Amino acid sequence: MSKFISPLSVFCSKAKRFILNLNQYRNTHFRLLNNSKINYKKYMERQILSSKFHSDKVLCIYRVYPKTKRGFDIGNVCSIHEKFFEDALVELGKLPDDNYNYIPLVIFMKGDIDKENPRVEIEVVDFNEKNLDKVLDKLKELL
């Protein structure tokens, strides 16, 4: 298992930040989206390249730690993190592709409120026949 810490926003230009959320994604110009994705990959690159997972099939768990108690749609936040993170895994050579053959299970969850360090934590779990018991244990732990 590898754990990654992902920001809730990245720069899309010198002065403007892109909030990693589907609501903003829908309304952002494609050039700014591309810049955001590039900057996200740069931010995550060291974590991804130093990670230890070695599998062609993984389970990804996205857990949002919001800054406030204010309600939000977990899917709106996690879907963009999923898109950017999984594309970065492929582009940085950690997975051959990000389709269902390589990532057959994705989980979105809410974590505790963290006023000091709001973020999305991403866990990547090797998903193969040899460690199926570990995967099942991880799923039970989440419930």
Side-chain angles (χ1 to χ4, degrees), residues 66-123:
K67 187 173 188 170
T68 67
K69 291 181 183 180
R70 184 176 178 198
F72 65 95
D73 183 334
I74 292 173
N76 282 349
V77 176
C78 291
S79 62
I80 303 306
H81 283 270
E82 177 189 15
K83 174 69 178 147
F84 283 15
F85 179 75
E86 293 173 9
D87 284 351
L89 288 178
V90 173
E91 291 170 17
L92 293 169
K94 285 296 190 171
L95 284 176
D97 201 342
D98 58 349
N99 68 35
Y100 61 83
N101 292 311
Y102 302 98
I103 308 173
L105 183 59
V106 176
I107 298 172
F108 295 164
M109 302 179 69
K110 182 193 169 291
D112 296 329
I113 293 166
D114 191 339
K115 293 178 183 182
E116 303 301 317
N117 185 23
R119 66 198 178 281
V120 172
E121 287 187 2
I122 305 165
E123 291 180 67

Side-chain angles (χ1 to χ4, degrees), residues 13-91:
S13 65
K14 289 183 179 180
K16 188 174 182 179
R17 294 190 72 83
F18 172 74
I19 299 168
L20 296 164
N21 185 306
L22 185 60
N23 294 326
Q24 186 163 0
Y25 185 90
R26 293 187 325 215
N27 298 314
T28 301
H29 190 275
F30 72 91
R31 285 187 185 161
L32 292 178
L33 287 176
N34 190 52
N35 290 345
S36 300
K37 189 174 171 187
I38 290 167
N39 289 334
Y40 180 87
K41 185 173 84 170
K42 285 179 187 174
Y43 182 93
M44 299 297 291
E45 186 170 19
R46 183 180 301 156
Q47 293 181 69
I48 291 171
L49 291 177
S50 65
S51 66
K52 304 272 189 231
F53 75 88
H54 298 288
S55 179
D56 280 348
K57 192 178 276 192
V58 296
L59 153 69
C60 292
I61 303 165
Y62 297 83
R63 191 181 312 238
V64 182
Y65 291 86
K67 187 173 188 170
T68 67
K69 291 181 183 180
R70 184 176 178 198
F72 65 95
D73 183 334
I74 292 173
N76 282 349
V77 176
C78 291
S79 62
I80 303 306
H81 283 270
E82 177 189 15
K83 174 69 178 147
F84 283 15
F85 179 75
E86 293 173 9
D87 284 351
L89 288 178
V90 173
E91 291 170 17

